[in-house]
């Protein structure tokens, strides 16, 4: 049976989530508006 060390795994998962959120925050509102216009074909 394989045992995993949960502490480092949780730290990696948390770091990835924080980096993704930071990228989303850095994109800004303009990119979201453009994406929504394409979605609704406005």
């Amino acid at each position: 049976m394989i045992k995993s060390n949960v502490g480092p795994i949780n730290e990696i998962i948390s770091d990835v989530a924080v980096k993704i959120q930071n990228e989303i925050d850095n994109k800004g509102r303009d990119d979201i508006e453009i994406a929504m216009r394409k979605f609704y074909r406005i």
Side-chain angles (χ1 to χ4, degrees):
M1 186 188 302
I2 297 174
K3 265 185 146 176
S4 62
N5 194 346
V6 178
I9 293 171
N10 286 340
E11 187 176 341
I12 291 169
I13 292 170
S14 175
D15 288 345
V16 169
V18 168
K19 288 179 181 180
I20 290 171
Q21 187 61 51
N22 287 339
E23 286 295 320
I24 291 171
D25 291 344
N26 289 337
K27 290 287 182 185
R29 186 174 169 85
D30 293 336
D31 290 342
I32 294 171
E33 289 176 7
I34 291 169
M36 291 301 287
R37 279 189 229 142
K38 286 182 181 178
F39 181 74
Y40 287 110
R41 299 180 191 265
I42 296 174

